[in-house]
Amino acid sequence: MLPEKKAFLSADKIGVQEKLAILLAFIAGYIDAVGLIKWKTYVSFMSGNTTQLGTAIETGTVEVISSSLCVIGSFVSGIYLGTCLSQCQRQRKFSSKFFIVAGILITYSIVGSYYQIPNYSSLVIIGFSMGMMNTIVTSVGKQNVNTDFVTGTLNSLAKNSAMYTMSNSKEDRTTYRSNTIRLLILWIGFILGAFIAAMLLDMLTKWTLLLPAFFLLASAFLFPISIIKD
Protein backbone atom coordinates (compact mmCIF):
# COMPACT_ATOMS: atom_id res chain seq x y z
CA MET A 1 0.00 0.00 0.00
CA LEU A 2 1.14 3.50 -0.81
CA PRO A 3 0.76 6.36 1.69
CA GLU A 4 -2.75 7.75 2.01
CA LYS A 5 -3.77 10.53 -0.34
CA LYS A 6 -4.38 13.98 1.03
CA ALA A 7 -7.05 15.22 -1.39
CA PHE A 8 -10.54 15.76 0.04
CA LEU A 9 -13.49 14.23 -1.80
CA SER A 10 -17.23 14.42 -1.30
CA ALA A 11 -18.93 11.71 0.73
CA ASP A 12 -21.02 10.71 -2.30
CA LYS A 13 -17.95 10.26 -4.49
CA ILE A 14 -16.17 8.25 -1.79
CA GLY A 15 -19.26 6.05 -1.44
CA VAL A 16 -19.31 5.32 -5.17
CA GLN A 17 -15.58 4.58 -5.18
CA GLU A 18 -16.12 2.20 -2.29
CA LYS A 19 -18.90 0.29 -4.08
CA LEU A 20 -16.84 -0.02 -7.24
CA ALA A 21 -13.75 -1.15 -5.30
CA ILE A 22 -15.76 -3.89 -3.58
CA LEU A 23 -17.18 -5.05 -6.93
CA LEU A 24 -13.71 -5.14 -8.48
CA ALA A 25 -12.36 -7.06 -5.47
CA PHE A 26 -15.19 -9.58 -5.97
CA ILE A 27 -14.26 -9.92 -9.66
CA ALA A 28 -10.58 -10.27 -8.81
CA GLY A 29 -11.27 -13.02 -6.26
CA TYR A 30 -13.52 -14.75 -8.78
CA ILE A 31 -10.96 -14.71 -11.61
CA ASP A 32 -8.04 -15.55 -9.31
CA ALA A 33 -9.90 -18.63 -8.08
CA VAL A 34 -10.55 -19.67 -11.70
CA GLY A 35 -6.84 -19.35 -12.45
CA LEU A 36 -5.84 -21.34 -9.39
CA ILE A 37 -8.32 -24.15 -10.07
CA LYS A 38 -7.80 -24.39 -13.85
CA TRP A 39 -4.09 -23.58 -14.26
CA LYS A 40 -2.70 -24.02 -10.73
CA THR A 41 -1.39 -20.45 -10.91
CA TYR A 42 -2.61 -17.20 -9.41
CA VAL A 43 -3.58 -14.60 -12.01
CA SER A 44 -3.73 -11.65 -9.62
CA PHE A 45 -1.73 -12.70 -6.54
CA MET A 46 1.82 -12.03 -7.71
CA SER A 47 3.34 -12.54 -4.24
CA GLY A 48 2.38 -16.21 -4.44
CA ASN A 49 3.67 -16.51 -7.99
CA THR A 50 6.94 -14.84 -7.02
CA THR A 51 7.40 -17.31 -4.17
CA GLN A 52 6.68 -20.19 -6.55
CA LEU A 53 9.17 -18.73 -9.03
CA GLY A 54 11.93 -18.57 -6.43
CA THR A 55 11.41 -22.13 -5.22
CA ALA A 56 11.08 -23.42 -8.80
CA ILE A 57 14.40 -21.82 -9.77
CA GLU A 58 16.08 -23.67 -6.90
CA THR A 59 14.51 -27.02 -7.88
CA GLY A 60 14.83 -26.44 -11.62
CA THR A 61 11.10 -26.93 -12.29
CA VAL A 62 10.92 -25.44 -15.78
CA GLU A 63 7.13 -25.59 -16.09
CA VAL A 64 6.57 -23.58 -12.90
CA ILE A 65 9.30 -21.10 -13.82
CA SER A 66 7.73 -20.53 -17.24
CA SER A 67 4.16 -20.16 -15.98
CA SER A 68 5.22 -17.82 -13.16
CA LEU A 69 7.23 -15.59 -15.50
CA CYS A 70 4.37 -15.53 -18.02
CA VAL A 71 1.74 -14.39 -15.56
CA ILE A 72 3.99 -11.94 -13.68
CA GLY A 73 5.16 -10.31 -16.90
CA SER A 74 1.66 -10.02 -18.32
CA PHE A 75 0.27 -8.67 -15.04
CA VAL A 76 2.93 -5.95 -14.89
CA SER A 77 2.29 -5.12 -18.56
CA GLY A 78 -1.42 -4.75 -17.83
CA ILE A 79 -0.73 -2.33 -14.99
CA TYR A 80 1.68 -0.36 -17.20
CA LEU A 81 -0.82 0.03 -20.03
CA GLY A 82 -3.70 0.69 -17.66
CA THR A 83 -1.76 3.48 -15.97
CA CYS A 84 -0.89 5.01 -19.35
CA LEU A 85 -4.57 4.93 -20.33
CA SER A 86 -5.51 6.66 -17.08
CA GLN A 87 -3.26 9.56 -18.02
CA CYS A 88 -4.80 9.84 -21.50
CA GLN A 89 -8.54 9.69 -20.78
CA ARG A 90 -9.18 12.04 -17.87
CA GLN A 91 -11.68 14.09 -19.84
CA ARG A 92 -13.69 11.16 -21.18
CA LYS A 93 -17.09 10.17 -19.87
CA PHE A 94 -16.31 6.46 -19.54
CA SER A 95 -13.15 4.55 -18.74
CA SER A 96 -12.04 2.42 -21.68
CA LYS A 97 -10.42 -0.02 -19.27
CA PHE A 98 -13.79 -1.49 -18.35
CA PHE A 99 -14.46 -2.28 -22.01
CA ILE A 100 -10.94 -3.56 -22.71
CA VAL A 101 -10.90 -6.00 -19.81
CA ALA A 102 -14.48 -7.15 -20.46
CA GLY A 103 -13.68 -7.54 -24.15
CA ILE A 104 -10.66 -9.68 -23.36
CA LEU A 105 -12.70 -11.96 -21.10
CA ILE A 106 -15.55 -12.28 -23.61
CA THR A 107 -13.23 -12.94 -26.55
CA TYR A 108 -11.27 -15.48 -24.53
CA SER A 109 -14.48 -17.30 -23.57
CA ILE A 110 -15.77 -17.43 -27.15
CA VAL A 111 -12.47 -18.64 -28.60
CA GLY A 112 -12.08 -21.10 -25.73
CA SER A 113 -15.47 -22.63 -26.48
CA TYR A 114 -14.25 -23.70 -29.93
CA TYR A 115 -10.53 -24.22 -29.45
CA GLN A 116 -8.26 -25.49 -26.70
CA ILE A 117 -6.27 -22.47 -25.55
CA PRO A 118 -2.81 -23.42 -24.20
CA ASN A 119 -2.28 -22.78 -20.51
CA TYR A 120 0.58 -20.34 -21.09
CA SER A 121 -1.56 -18.29 -23.46
CA SER A 122 -4.38 -18.30 -20.92
CA LEU A 123 -2.06 -17.04 -18.20
CA VAL A 124 -0.74 -14.24 -20.39
CA ILE A 125 -4.21 -13.13 -21.49
CA ILE A 126 -5.94 -13.29 -18.12
CA GLY A 127 -2.90 -12.02 -16.20
CA PHE A 128 -2.74 -8.97 -18.47
CA SER A 129 -6.45 -8.24 -17.99
CA MET A 130 -6.10 -8.52 -14.21
CA GLY A 131 -3.18 -6.12 -14.22
CA MET A 132 -5.17 -3.57 -16.19
CA MET A 133 -8.20 -4.02 -13.95
CA ASN A 134 -6.01 -3.24 -10.95
CA THR A 135 -5.61 0.33 -12.26
CA ILE A 136 -9.33 1.13 -12.49
CA VAL A 137 -9.67 2.06 -8.82
CA THR A 138 -6.52 2.87 -6.86
CA SER A 139 -8.04 4.73 -3.92
CA VAL A 140 -11.23 5.16 -1.93
CA GLY A 141 -11.24 8.67 -0.56
CA LYS A 142 -7.83 9.20 1.00
CA GLN A 143 -7.16 5.48 1.46
CA ASN A 144 -5.15 3.77 -1.28
CA VAL A 145 -6.46 0.32 -2.18
CA ASN A 146 -5.50 -2.66 -4.31
CA THR A 147 -8.56 -4.46 -5.64
CA ASP A 148 -6.68 -7.36 -7.29
CA PHE A 149 -4.82 -8.76 -4.29
CA VAL A 150 -5.31 -8.78 -0.54
CA THR A 151 -1.87 -8.63 1.10
CA GLY A 152 -1.84 -4.84 0.97
CA THR A 153 -5.48 -4.72 2.00
CA LEU A 154 -4.84 -6.78 5.13
CA ASN A 155 -1.73 -4.73 5.89
CA SER A 156 -3.68 -1.47 5.76
CA LEU A 157 -6.60 -3.01 7.66
CA ALA A 158 -4.33 -3.99 10.55
CA LYS A 159 -2.58 -0.60 10.59
CA ASN A 160 -5.87 1.33 10.57
CA SER A 161 -7.20 -0.90 13.34
CA ALA A 162 -4.10 -0.19 15.42
CA MET A 163 -4.33 3.56 14.80
CA TYR A 164 -8.01 3.51 15.75
CA THR A 165 -7.12 1.78 19.02
CA MET A 166 -4.25 4.09 19.88
CA SER A 167 -5.53 7.47 18.68
CA ASN A 168 -6.93 10.00 21.16
CA SER A 169 -8.49 12.23 18.49
CA LYS A 170 -12.20 11.67 17.89
CA GLU A 171 -11.90 12.81 14.27
CA ASP A 172 -8.94 10.53 13.59
CA ARG A 173 -10.65 7.60 15.27
CA THR A 174 -13.68 8.09 12.99
CA THR A 175 -11.43 8.08 9.93
CA TYR A 176 -9.49 5.01 11.02
CA ARG A 177 -12.68 3.15 11.89
CA SER A 178 -14.17 3.93 8.46
CA ASN A 179 -11.00 2.78 6.74
CA THR A 180 -10.91 -0.42 8.78
CA ILE A 181 -14.51 -1.31 7.92
CA ARG A 182 -13.99 -0.41 4.26
CA LEU A 183 -10.88 -2.58 3.97
CA LEU A 184 -12.55 -5.46 5.78
CA ILE A 185 -15.47 -5.40 3.33
CA LEU A 186 -13.00 -5.26 0.45
CA TRP A 187 -11.29 -8.39 1.78
CA ILE A 188 -14.63 -10.15 2.23
CA GLY A 189 -15.57 -9.20 -1.34
CA PHE A 190 -12.45 -10.95 -2.63
CA ILE A 191 -13.26 -14.08 -0.62
CA LEU A 192 -16.85 -14.09 -1.83
CA GLY A 193 -15.69 -13.83 -5.45
CA ALA A 194 -13.39 -16.84 -5.00
CA PHE A 195 -16.21 -18.79 -3.32
CA ILE A 196 -18.67 -18.06 -6.14
CA ALA A 197 -16.12 -19.00 -8.81
CA ALA A 198 -15.42 -22.35 -7.18
CA MET A 199 -19.16 -22.98 -6.95
CA LEU A 200 -19.96 -22.02 -10.56
CA LEU A 201 -16.90 -23.35 -12.40
CA ASP A 202 -18.30 -26.83 -13.04
CA MET A 203 -21.64 -25.37 -14.06
CA LEU A 204 -20.44 -22.65 -16.43
CA THR A 205 -17.29 -24.49 -17.60
CA LYS A 206 -15.77 -22.55 -20.53
CA TRP A 207 -18.17 -19.63 -20.03
CA THR A 208 -17.13 -18.97 -16.44
CA LEU A 209 -15.45 -15.64 -17.25
CA LEU A 210 -18.57 -14.16 -18.84
CA LEU A 211 -19.97 -13.29 -15.41
CA PRO A 212 -17.14 -10.90 -14.44
CA ALA A 213 -17.20 -9.52 -18.01
CA PHE A 214 -20.88 -8.65 -17.56
CA PHE A 215 -20.18 -6.90 -14.25
CA LEU A 216 -17.40 -4.87 -15.86
CA LEU A 217 -19.59 -3.76 -18.77
CA ALA A 218 -22.34 -2.73 -16.36
CA SER A 219 -19.81 -0.84 -14.26
CA ALA A 220 -18.65 1.17 -17.28
CA PHE A 221 -22.07 2.84 -17.39
CA LEU A 222 -22.78 2.90 -13.66
CA PHE A 223 -19.47 4.46 -12.65
CA PRO A 224 -18.39 7.42 -14.85
CA ILE A 225 -14.69 8.21 -15.05
CA SER A 226 -15.22 11.47 -13.12
CA ILE A 227 -15.89 9.30 -10.06
CA ILE A 228 -12.96 6.92 -10.33
CA LYS A 229 -10.14 9.01 -11.75
CA ASP A 230 -7.16 9.84 -9.53
Side-chain angles (χ1 to χ4, degrees), residues 142-210:
K142 296 187 292 181
Q143 178 66 53
N144 285 274
V145 297
N146 291 307
T147 57
D148 272 21
F149 47 93
V150 298
T151 303
T153 299
L154 292 173
N155 179 49
S156 291
L157 189 158
K159 286 183 176 179
N160 276 277
S161 299
M163 295 304 295
Y164 170 77
T165 302
M166 301 302 296
S167 177
N168 294 320
S169 168
K170 183 177 180 180
E171 181 179 354
D172 287 346
R173 282 173 61 85
T174 299
T175 299
Y176 291 130
R177 181 180 60 191
S178 297
N179 287 341
T180 299
I181 295 172
R182 182 178 295 133
L183 291 163
L184 177 61
I185 295 174
L186 201 66
W187 179 67
I188 292 173
F190 195 98
I191 293 177
L192 183 60
F195 170 78
I196 296 297
M199 184 173 64
L200 295 181
L201 187 58
D202 288 338
M203 183 187 309
L204 299 179
T205 60
K206 295 181 178 181
W207 302 102
T208 304
L209 296 179
L210 288 185

Side-chain angles (χ1 to χ4, degrees), residues 102-119:
I104 290 173
L105 297 179
I106 292 171
T107 302
Y108 176 87
S109 298
I110 294 174
V111 173
S113 67
Y114 293 100
Y115 304 98
Q116 182 65 38
I117 301 176
N119 285 355

